[in-house]
């Protein structure tokens, strides 16, 4: 039988980890977005000098587990003397930033491929019309291709946001006290893994449901035909 009194008891303590989960998710998504947009342009470039490295980047980060990537950044960077003696060590020695870097790079690979596909789906006639009006390549991308691509990619990108929030649970593997990290502490204290992780799962579910509903409203407003 479930110990409901214990579940109520641990709820406030688990809730303390929600703020950390939110900060991690926001920073990971921002880093991924900053990298994903130029990566999408490189992915669609006709020159192999840009296209091949972009494809290799996407292949690596999409083809290997996110947990391995987190461990490579967190445990691997410190093995190099030049890293430990550089300014980068002030960031890479902190598990908080290691997770953001690892999952940000991972998310950029998925988002970059997503945006690249959305850009390829923009009707070529619109691009040709923009060029016929005398718009430069930069103006065409900014005023025609990118707005249409973002509108087209929004439903799939919403799923990427949800997956990023779930992926932050990996933070507990490198000592960060996010929601899952707080749950692991409570399990060690109470020896009741089922109740504690059930409460943690319900908190994740509530966050995802609220976020998903908000994203659906945003999708309807942005994708409506005017």
């Amino acid at each position: 039988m479930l110990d409901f009194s214990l579940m109520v008891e641990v709820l406030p303590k688990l809730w303390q980890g929600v703020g950390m989960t939110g900060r991690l998710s926001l920073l990971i998504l921002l880093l991924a977005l900053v990298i994903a947009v130029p990566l999408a342009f490189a992915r669609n470039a006709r020159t192999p000098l840009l296209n091949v490295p972009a494809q290799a980047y996407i292949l690596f980060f999409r083809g290997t587990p996110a947990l391995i990537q987190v461990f490579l950044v967190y445990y691997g960077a410190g093995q190099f003397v030049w890293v430990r003696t550089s300014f980068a060590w002030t960031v890479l020695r902190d598990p908080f930033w290691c997770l953001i870097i690892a999952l940000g790079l991972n998310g950029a690979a998925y988002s970059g491929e997503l945006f690249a596909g959305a850009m390829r789906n923009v009707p070529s006639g619109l691009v040709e019309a923009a060029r016929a009006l005398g718009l430069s390549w930069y103006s065409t991308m900014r005023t025609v291709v990118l707005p249409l691509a973002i509108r087209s990619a929004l439903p799939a990108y919403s799923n990427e946001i949800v997956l990023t929030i779930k992926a932050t649970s990996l933070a507990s593997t490198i000592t960060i006290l996010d929601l899952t990290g707080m749950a692991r502490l409570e399990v060690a204290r109470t020896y009741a893994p089922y109740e504690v992780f059930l409460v943690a799962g319900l908190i994740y579910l509530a966050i995802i449901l609220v976020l998903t509903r908000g994203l659906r409203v945003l999708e309807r407003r942005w994708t409506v035909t005017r």
Side-chain angles (χ1 to χ4, degrees):
M1 295 292 293
L2 288 176
D3 188 344
F4 290 102
S5 62
L6 176 62
M7 295 173 68
V8 173
E9 176 190 341
V10 301
L11 179 59
K13 297 178 180 179
L14 297 187
W15 193 257
Q16 295 175 12
V18 173
M20 176 61 75
T21 295
R23 288 194 296 274
L24 288 169
S25 300
L26 180 60
L27 290 173
I28 290 167
L29 287 168
L30 287 175
L31 177 59
L33 188 61
V34 167
I35 299 173
V37 174
L39 182 64
F41 281 106
R43 175 68 177 82
N44 287 338
R46 295 182 179 180
T47 170
L49 188 63
L50 295 175
N51 183 272
V52 173
Q55 289 191 58
Y57 176 97
I58 292 171
L59 178 63
F60 174 80
F61 282 99
R62 293 183 66 181
T64 57
L67 181 59
I68 298 297
Q69 296 163 21
V70 171
F71 285 167
L72 284 174
V73 175
Y74 182 63
Y75 294 111
Q79 295 183 6
F80 300 98
V81 176
W82 64 271
V83 173
R84 296 198 303 271
T85 57
S86 69
F87 174 77
W89 186 239
T90 60
V91 174
L92 294 174
R93 68 183 177 183
D94 188 338
F96 179 85
W97 293 109
C98 285
L99 186 84
I100 290 171
I101 291 171
L103 294 186
L105 293 173
N106 177 276
Y110 286 90
S111 300
E113 183 69 17
L114 174 65
F115 293 152
M119 290 165 63
R120 288 194 297 269
N121 288 333
V122 173
S124 59
L126 294 177
V127 177
E128 293 172 359
R131 291 176 178 174
L133 291 173
L135 294 181
S136 65
W137 179 89
Y138 173 78
S139 296
T140 301
M141 293 297 109
R142 182 176 59 85
T143 60
V144 178
V145 175
L146 276 179
L148 292 176
I150 291 173
R151 179 177 294 185
S152 173
L154 185 58
Y157 186 67
S158 298
N159 294 332
E160 182 62 25
I161 294 174
V162 171
L163 291 174
T164 297
I165 295 174
K166 294 179 182 178
T168 58
S169 61
L170 297 176
S172 63
T173 63
I174 54 173
T175 72
I176 300 175
L177 294 180
D178 67 327
L179 176 53
T180 303
M182 294 299 295
R184 294 179 66 175
L185 284 182
E186 288 303 303
V187 168
R189 182 182 68 86
T190 62
Y191 299 99
Y194 191 80
E195 285 86 351
V196 173
F197 282 124
L198 179 59
V199 174
L202 291 174
I203 294 175
Y204 274 115
L205 179 62
I207 294 171
I208 296 302
L209 287 176
V210 172
L211 180 63
T212 301
R213 185 171 182 83
L215 289 171
R216 294 294 177 266
V217 172
L218 187 62
E219 288 172 23
R220 287 195 295 269
R221 289 183 178 179
W222 280 19
T223 59
V224 65
T225 302
R226 298 183 183 278

